[in-house]
């Protein structure tokens, strides 16, 4: 649903240029397994696409976990952090994109943070080390998170050359992201498979 | 090889002991070496395990610390927000708290914070790959020093970097590990980058050997020997968890064997010392033992040598073992030899009858005395030759046992009378005395006088009083002779002189005696020549028969017509002939010659021959007589054999048997010189003589001493009673003849009728005295 919200403005933009194709990016791990929760962002012609109005986003704290694990938001979005647990949480992020700290708020309390710079914002809870989530603040309209099949779909992509960035929290690459250029046809759908190497996720309770 | 048993024994024992000790020492050394090496090996394995455990503990400790730090919110904030100053100060804080040398941060982008040394920074940056691969601990070289590296990721909340704690494993740190071990091991950690050699935090000359050892043994994990410059060591190499790929790490634990054996050094020294002391004791002991064993043997050896040289030896018996018994046997043997030697010497040098020195001993002693006298010069020496006057008679009449007894008594008396002079028995009744004094000449005379007086005293032997009587001849040295033989000869001559003078006296040797002896020798030589040369001639003295008043027989008397001395009387040569044994051929000649002449005489005229006792003692007298009779054809009845009483001095049954055999042949037997002997009458009992010839001494004294007449009368009466004829010898005047006729004497002989005549004169004598024969 949120993906749709992102796509909508893109469709609106796509009306102006006559030629626009679709792109399906398939992210797979080394063993061929689909990689969900990867954020795929497209820069047609290498440039960010103008964003639509920022919606409302939330990352809930439930059962001592953030949900969702990865959230994609456009610049200027506000993300609320509702606490559904019986314990308090201390959500923080040291990310250069947005550094904040939501000190010890209890159940049914909601804090909200405004994100106005692009970048990855890792979220953690200072009380519960195992709680981790990522917010990708994007500066382009074409941004999507891979689903359970590791797939992200884009439609009506203007231009023929698209810079594709793939980010995943455990992606084994500098900045945890890959970039590749993809040719998008004027009509029809292009499929781009992206193999990635993933680090093993830190085990719960371990030193990592 | 060794001439002494003790040396052999000592060397043998010492050698055996040293060998045994050496074997023990070798065995001990082997055991010690094996034990200590095994201990060292065990300890090395244990130490390596301890090291692992320590490393593990340290890993956990550091890991905990790093984990804590990495989760510290402020620290995370500092690292995540790019505030290295704060982060490094937090690290320093923790370093001080944990006593860490090195702590740094490796960012996700490879940036290293917290290290100033560029080499360390480079090595730290190289850790990124391993850290990124998830390794959190291991060994890695940091600035050339093997270090124990422990890392913890910094989650903010995503991984932004690692906190890395590093503990260098250089000599100082390893020294702490070494102290934990029970034995003073030497431990070091080595690292090797791919394409490089093993390096450690320290440098030593053995690095090359160690590196090759580690290469060879790292997969093994068991201790092995490592040859170092300072000696052999037992070493163990085992791999350690390396931090980086392409970088190996190893733990090497060494223990020098010399040090492993060092604790046993006192034991070895003690063993060596006790061995040395033991060896000395064994040498000393075996030396003493062998001495105690061989000393008696040496003593025996020495004693045997001395015995060989003629000494009388006795070995001291010190023990009761075999050697002691050997010594006892040796002593018994030596004693036996000495005893036998003594007996042999006694037999050789002593007269067994009297116990006095014998002739051999005397000769030796005399030689010695003469030599001494010669050396001393003036000292005089007298040789007294003593001979008993009556011994022969005593021996003949009383038997040898009494004679022997008498000799013993004489020996005792001589020894008692001469003081310190030496008395020896030369044989028979002949004794000799050596008198060695300054005034030997005077002393010899005195001693001789004293001896003669002493021996004149009667001896009481076997209940009888015997008178020995002695004559002594004396020779002085060096005047009478320089050597023993001459002296003895001269003393003998002097004795002969004394004897010749009737005995019971002593004579000093004089040179004339020698001359006499020489003339005697000459006479003897002449006598021998005379027997062969026919210088003898028979004279015949008629025996006038008083009953028939005619010559009834002739006594054949020998005369010697000496070529230069003229006619020699029988008295002068018959004793010499008897002494020399020449009497036998002479007597034989007389018998033959007498028979040869007598056979020409009228049948009623007999011939009488004197036969010496010497002739009777030699065998064959009967044969000589028989041959003479057979050769001449003379009737045995016409042959009369005259014997003297002296023949009975050695009377024996053999003699009587010879007399009887002559009688059986028909020969008449007459007893000559009757009345001069000691027991004349007893002789008449022993043989039935045909005739008794009364000694001329009775006839000559008949008219002057009345006793003589009575004796002659008694003899004639006795003879008549015994059926024997009588002849009176030495009748020189008619008064004697008249008296003899009165007493009934059978016949007379003497100068009154006729001196001995030559064979040719016999017939004239017969014609003159037997006119009736012519008438008849």
């Amino acid at each position: 649903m949120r993906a749709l919200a992102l796509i909508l403005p893109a469709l609106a933009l796509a009306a102006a240029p006559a030629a626009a194709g679709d792109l399906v990016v398939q992210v797979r791990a080394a063993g061929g397994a689909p990689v969900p929760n990867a954020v795929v962002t497209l820069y047609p012609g290498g440039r960010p696409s103008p964003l639509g109005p920022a919606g409302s986003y939330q990352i809930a704290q439930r059962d001592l976990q953030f949900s969702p694990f990865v959230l994609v938001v456009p610049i200027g979005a506000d993300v609320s952090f509702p606490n559904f647990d019986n314990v308090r949480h201390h959500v923080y992020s040291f990310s250069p994109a947005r550094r904040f700290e939501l000190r010890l708020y209890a159940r049914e309390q909601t804090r909200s943070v405004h994100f106005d710079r692009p970048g990855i914002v890792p979220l953690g809870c200072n009380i519960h080390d195992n709680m981790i989530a990522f917010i990708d603040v994007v500066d382009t309209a074409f941004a999507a998170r891979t689903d359970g099949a590791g797939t992200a779909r884009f439609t009506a992509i203007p231009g023929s050359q698209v810079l594709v960035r793939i980010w995943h929290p455990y992606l084994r690459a500098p900045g945890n992201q890959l970039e590749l250029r993809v040719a998008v046809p004027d009509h029809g759908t292009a499929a781009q498979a992206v193999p990635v190497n993933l680090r093993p996720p830190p085990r719960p309770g371990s030193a990592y | 090889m060794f001439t002494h048993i003790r040396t052999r024994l000592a060397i043998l024992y010492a050698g055996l002991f040293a060998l045994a000790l050496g074997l023990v020492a070798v065995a001990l050394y082997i055991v010690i070496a094996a034990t200590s090496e095994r201990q060292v090996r065990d300890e090395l394995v244990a130490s390596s395990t301890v090291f692992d455990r320590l490393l593990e503990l340290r890993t956990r400790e550091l890991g905990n610390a790093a984990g804590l730090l990495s989760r510290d919110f402020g620290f995370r904030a500092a690292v995540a927000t790019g505030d290295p100053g704060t982060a490094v100060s937090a690290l320093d804080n923790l370093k001080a708290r944990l006593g860490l040398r090195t702590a740094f941060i490796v960012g996700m982008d490879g940036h290293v914070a917290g290290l100033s040394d560029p080499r360390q920074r480079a090595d730290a940056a190289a850790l990124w790959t391993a850290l990124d691969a998830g390794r959190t601990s291991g060994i890695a070289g940091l600035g050339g020093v093997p270090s124990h590296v422990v890392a913890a990721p910094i989650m903010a909340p995503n991984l932004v970097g690692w906190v890395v704690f590093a503990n260098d494993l250089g000599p100082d740190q390893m020294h702490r590990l070494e102290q934990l071990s029970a034995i003073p091991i030497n431990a070091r950690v080595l690292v090797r980058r791919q394409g490089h050699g093993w390096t450690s935090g320290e440098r030593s000359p053995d690095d090359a050997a160690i590196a090759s050892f580690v290469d060879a043994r790292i997969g093994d994990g068991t201790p092995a020997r490592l040859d170092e410059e300072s000696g052999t060591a037992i070493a163990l190499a085992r791999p350690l968890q390396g931090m980086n790929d392409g970088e190996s790490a190893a733990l090497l634990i060494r223990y020098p064997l010399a040090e492993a054996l060092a604790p046993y050094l006192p034991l070895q020294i003690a063993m060596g010392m006790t061995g040395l002391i033991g060896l000395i004791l064994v040498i000393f002991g075996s030396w003493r033992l062998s001495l105690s064993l061989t000393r008696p043997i040496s003593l025996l050896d020495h004693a045997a040598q001395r015995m060989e040289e003629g000494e009388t030896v006795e070995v001291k018996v010190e023990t009761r073992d075999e050697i002691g018994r050997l010594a006892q046997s040796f002593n018994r043997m030596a004693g036996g030899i000495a005893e036998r030697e003594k007996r042999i010497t006694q037999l050789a040098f002593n007269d067994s009858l009297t116990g006095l020195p014998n002739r051999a001993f005397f000769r030796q002693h005399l030689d010695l005395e003469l030599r001494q006298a010669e050396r001393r010069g003036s000292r005089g020496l007298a040789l007294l030759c003593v001979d008993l006057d009556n011994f022969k008679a005593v021996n003949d009449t009383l038997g040898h046992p009494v004679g022997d007894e008498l000799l013993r008594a004489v020996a005792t008396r001589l020894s008692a009378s001469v003081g310190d002079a030496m008395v020896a028995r030369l044989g028979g009744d002949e004794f000799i005395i050596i008198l060695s004094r300054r005034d030997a000449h005077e002393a010899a005379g005195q001693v001789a006088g004293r001896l003669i007086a002493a021996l004149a005293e009667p001896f009481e032997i076997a209940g009888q009083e015997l008178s020995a009587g002695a004559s002594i001849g004396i020779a002085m040295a060096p005047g009478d002779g320089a050597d023993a033989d001459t002296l003895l000869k001269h003393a003998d001559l002097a004795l002969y002189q004394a004897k010749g003078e009737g005995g019971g006296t002593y004579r000093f040797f004089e040179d004339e005696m020698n001359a006499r002896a020489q003339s005697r020798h000459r006479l003897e030589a002449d006598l021998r020549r005379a027997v062969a040369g026919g210088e003898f001639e028979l004279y015949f003295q008629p025996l006038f028969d008083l009953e028939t008043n005619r010559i009834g027989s002739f006594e054949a008397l020998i005369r010697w017509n000496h070529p230069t001395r003229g006619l020699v009387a029988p008295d002068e040569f018959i004793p010499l002939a008897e002494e020399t044994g020449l009497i036998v051929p002479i007597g034989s000649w007389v018998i033959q010659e007498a028979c040869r002449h007598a056979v020409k005489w009228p049948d009623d005229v007999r011939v009488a021959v004197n036969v010496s006792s010497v002739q009777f003692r030699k065998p064959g007298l009967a044969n000589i007589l028989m041959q003479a009779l057979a050769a001449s054809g003379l009737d045995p009845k016409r042959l009369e054999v005259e014997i003297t009483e002296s023949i009975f001095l050695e009377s024996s049954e053999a003699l009587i048997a010879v007399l009887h055999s002559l009688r059986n042949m028909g020969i008449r037997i007459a007893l000559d010189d009757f009345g001069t002997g000691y027991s004349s009458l007893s002789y008449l009992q022993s043989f039935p003589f045909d005739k008794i010839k009364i000694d001329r001494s009775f006839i000559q004294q008949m008219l002057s001493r009345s006793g003589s007449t009575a004796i002659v009368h008694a003899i004639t009466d006795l003879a008549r009673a015994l059926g024997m004829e009588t002849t009176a010898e030495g009748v020189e005047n008619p008064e004697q003849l008249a008296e003899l006729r009165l007493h009934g004497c059978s016949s007379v002989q003497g100068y009154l009728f006729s001196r001995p005549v030559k064979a040719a004169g016999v017939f004239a004598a017969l014609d003159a005295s037997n006119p009736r024969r012519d008438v008849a």
Side-chain angles (χ1 to χ4, degrees), chain B residues 154-230:
Chain B
I154 305 164
M155 305 298 286
N158 60 325
L159 184 66
V160 294
W162 295 270
V163 177
V164 182
F165 292 159
N167 224 353
D168 79 90
L169 297 173
D172 295 343
Q173 291 292 320
M174 296 313 289
H175 191 56
R176 285 169 54 203
L177 173 72
E178 290 165 5
Q179 283 174 334
L180 289 174
S181 173
I183 55 173
I185 56 168
N186 177 283
R188 67 165 72 177
V189 170
L190 303 104
V191 291
R192 182 182 61 180
R193 293 237 170 95
Q194 215 151 21
H196 293 78
W198 291 96
T199 57
S200 70
E202 52 188 312
R203 301 215 170 277
S204 69
D206 299 317
D207 282 349
I210 288 172
S212 61
F213 177 84
V214 172
D215 274 336
R217 310 288 307 184
I218 193 162
D220 186 335
T222 56
R225 282 170 179 258
L226 167 59
D227 289 320
E228 298 180 329
E229 272 191 7
S230 56

Side-chain angles (χ1 to χ4, degrees), chain A residues 99 123 126 129 172 199 208, chain B residues 71 73 81 132 134 155 157:
Chain A
R99 183 175 174 181
L123 298 178
N126 198 24
D129 280 349
R172 197 181 289 277
R199 292 194 185 87
Y208 287 87
Chain B
R71 278 188 221 111
F73 191 72
T81 58
D132 184 57
M155 305 298 286

